[in-house]
Amino acid sequence: MAAITMRNIVKKYGDGFPAVNDVSLDIADGEFMILVGPSGCGKSTLLRMIVGLEDITSGDMMIGDVRVNDKAPRDRNLAMVFQNYALYPHLTVFENIAFPLRLSGKLSDDEIRKRVTEAANTLELGEHLERKPANLSGGQRQRVAMGRAIVRQADAFLFDEPLSNLDAKLRGQMRTEILRLQRRLGVTTVYVTHDQTEAMTLGDRVAVLKKGVLQQVASPRELYDQPVNLFVAGFIGSPPMNFVPARMRGDRLELPFASVPMRDEWRGIAQNGGEDAVYIAGIRPGAFEDAEYVDTDKRSRGVTFDVSIDVTEWLGNEQYAFVPFEAAPEISGQLAELASDLDSEQLRSQICVELDPMSRVSAGDKATLWLDTERLHLFDPQTGDNLTRTVDSRGRHAAATG
């Protein structure tokens, strides 16, 4: 096992476009690190540079204490699990798992059989060793690919969207298996996905990328509660964060649907922005509740307001409602101009709110909602920075690098 260290990693192709741009990241020995972002953000390219399938334009890639920029993939002692499983259809499960061991030519048949049997038992494949991949389910094929990685006793496991070909139920099962396996083996793991559910449930830490640039590295909880900018806030969370125009006026923050008393931590923002400064307010759907279900003590922590419900979605253990709103045209126009260059979620004309699943509110109803103002974020529309992000124990914002 080994730590993986990246320093100012850049990958440029023939046209000079930086697919990965100045990424620095420290992955600790035994850590489960997730690389997440939209298609084309550079996460798979970064993974392929770790394993040696892509050349590094500039920067240093370290595995343990060794710089591996110029080492061939076979010399890095890494095991990779691909999206398409990459199994040999003419070989049995046993021979697919044993393939990298036979290729090395360094182990006896007895040692190979021992390693394959141990890996198969770990992955509950013992009874399938003589079958061919065509006779296996998708989940079983993925376990075979994982078994081939385990037997190598590699310094790190690399996963490139390994669950994207599976159905939703099987993805959930395989997530649990991968996490249990990684915890048992304690192997450094780098996992690429575009699925934020995988990112939030699997990783010790998550690295969010956008257009080849590292945006934030943090625990799943910190990413959700304290996103560093508009992009991270809009990308992490399902349903996504609501973005609405906001304006500071006197001792109030005016939202399109509510007037919020000024919080002490916002006063510095108001002083820097000046009178009538316009911001983008970010509010998670879970920060809202049906006021009927909010007790008196909790009610003082936020504000209530009346709305008309447009659409509801009841999912059994969750319920969401969509509420239209109208923002002052001058505010919407100003924000559209300021935020035109940001690749963030667009300002919408409705908000999504999470309701108690027992709530009987339905489409077309009038309702009174409660907003927890302690969970409201304010973003700079010009830079996208989260102005209300709390500081860490050392009195400064957490860095966007590992």
Side-chain angles (χ1 to χ4, degrees):
M1 295 182 289
I4 298 173
T5 303
M6 305 174 215
R7 288 289 173 264
N8 308 111
I9 295 293
V10 174
K11 174 63 180 180
K12 292 183 179 180
Y13 290 101
D15 59 0
F17 176 78
V20 174
N21 195 357
D22 197 29
V23 168
S24 294
L25 182 62
D26 294 325
I27 303 172
D29 188 2
E31 183 175 18
F32 200 135
M33 174 65 74
I34 304 291
L35 304 180
V36 69
S39 297
C41 72
K43 56 187 183 295
S44 290
T45 301
L46 191 59
L47 191 77
R48 290 169 66 85
M49 285 193 287
I50 296 173
V51 78
L53 298 177
E54 291 278 1
D55 293 332
I56 297 172
T57 304
S58 64
D60 295 312
M61 181 74 67
M62 309 285 292
I63 298 177
D65 297 326
V66 179
R67 185 177 184 271
V68 298
N69 290 44
D70 301 320
K71 283 184 175 287
R74 65 177 177 273
D75 298 324
R76 301 189 185 196
N77 195 29
L78 303 174
M80 189 160 179
V81 179
F82 295 91
Q83 177 179 346
N84 61 357
Y85 318 138
L87 302 179
Y88 297 100
H90 63 288
L91 298 180
T92 63
V93 168
F94 181 97
E95 290 301 331
N96 265 285
I97 296 175
F99 186 82
L101 302 181
R102 297 201 189 283
L103 192 64
S104 71
K106 298 178 181 179
L107 300 176
S108 67
D109 287 345
D110 288 343
E111 180 63 21
I112 290 174
R113 179 166 296 278
K114 177 184 176 183
R115 289 198 191 182
V116 171
T117 302
E118 288 177 351
N121 290 337
T122 298
L123 295 166
E124 299 180 0
L125 290 171
E127 63 185 38
H128 304 296
L129 288 176
E130 299 308 317
R131 300 176 70 183
K132 300 287 182 66
N135 298 320
L136 302 176
S137 68
Q140 289 168 338
R141 293 179 196 177
Q142 191 55 271
R143 287 201 293 271
V144 174
M146 291 165 59
R148 189 169 53 194
I150 292 171
V151 294
R152 291 191 56 192
Q153 298 181 352
D155 289 334
F157 293 159
L158 309 179
F159 290 86
D160 190 6
E161 303 200 43
L163 307 184
S164 58
N165 292 333
L166 305 180
D167 62 53
K169 181 178 180 181
L170 193 52
R171 279 202 304 271
Q173 295 173 352
M174 288 301 298
R175 279 201 309 270
T176 303
E177 290 188 25
I178 290 173
L179 184 58
R180 184 180 295 120
L181 180 65
Q182 197 274 341
R183 293 288 183 263
R184 184 186 307 166
L185 299 177
V187 178
T188 306
T189 301
V190 185
Y191 188 107
V192 163
T193 182
H194 65 274
D195 185 332
Q196 63 169 282
T197 301
E198 291 179 22
M200 299 296 278
T201 56
L202 285 174
D204 296 319
R205 288 191 300 156
V206 180
V208 183
L209 291 105
K210 168 191 169 188
K211 293 185 176 180
V213 178
L214 194 58
Q215 302 293 304
Q216 186 174 2
V217 182
S219 68
R221 183 177 295 275
E222 183 179 344
L223 283 181
Y224 187 86
D225 290 338
Q226 299 294 333
V228 71
N229 57 30
L230 274 170
F231 176 78
V232 176
F235 188 80
I236 298 295
S238 180
M241 181 179 283
N242 297 294
F243 293 122
V244 299
R247 171 174 279 172
M248 297 278 195
R249 280 189 168 163
D251 62 350
R252 313 287 293 184
L253 177 70
E254 301 294 340
L255 304 177
F257 44 81
S259 178
V260 178
M262 181 73 71
R263 297 183 59 83
D264 290 341
E265 56 266 36
W266 300 345
R267 296 191 185 281
I269 299 172
Q271 291 173 359
N272 292 334
E275 185 69 18
D276 283 351
V278 177
Y279 303 92
I280 296 175
I283 312 170
R284 297 282 183 198
F288 297 93
E289 291 186 37
D290 187 335
E292 180 182 346
Y293 294 86
V294 179
D295 59 47
T296 304
D297 292 339
K298 187 177 179 181
R299 196 176 283 256
S300 62
R301 215 171 65 203
V303 295
T304 58
F305 55 98
D306 296 326
V307 297
S308 296
I309 303 297
D310 184 21
V311 176
T312 61
E313 294 180 349
W314 185 78
L315 304 175
N317 62 335
E318 299 174 319
Q319 183 172 197
Y320 297 98
F322 294 86
V323 178
F325 67 82
E326 292 186 10
E330 66 273 14
I331 296 180
S332 297
Q334 185 178 353
L335 280 182
E337 181 178 346
L338 290 173
S340 60
D341 294 330
L342 293 177
D343 293 324
S344 60
E345 290 278 334
Q346 292 183 344
L347 295 172
R348 299 176 180 143
S349 58
Q350 66 175 8
I351 55 172
C352 175
V353 303
E354 184 175 345
L355 301 177
D356 189 292
M358 300 301 294
S359 173
R360 297 299 180 181
V361 170
S362 60
D365 287 351
K366 301 291 184 181
T368 301
L369 299 181
W370 175 82
L371 168 62
D372 184 351
T373 58
E374 292 182 1
R375 298 177 61 185
L376 188 150
H377 300 271
L378 291 177
F379 297 91
D380 186 323
Q382 294 178 303
T383 65
D385 292 341
N386 186 350
L387 302 174
T388 49
R389 185 164 177 254
T390 58
V391 296
D392 63 20
S393 60
R394 291 164 293 183
R396 59 181 177 83
H397 288 296
T401 56

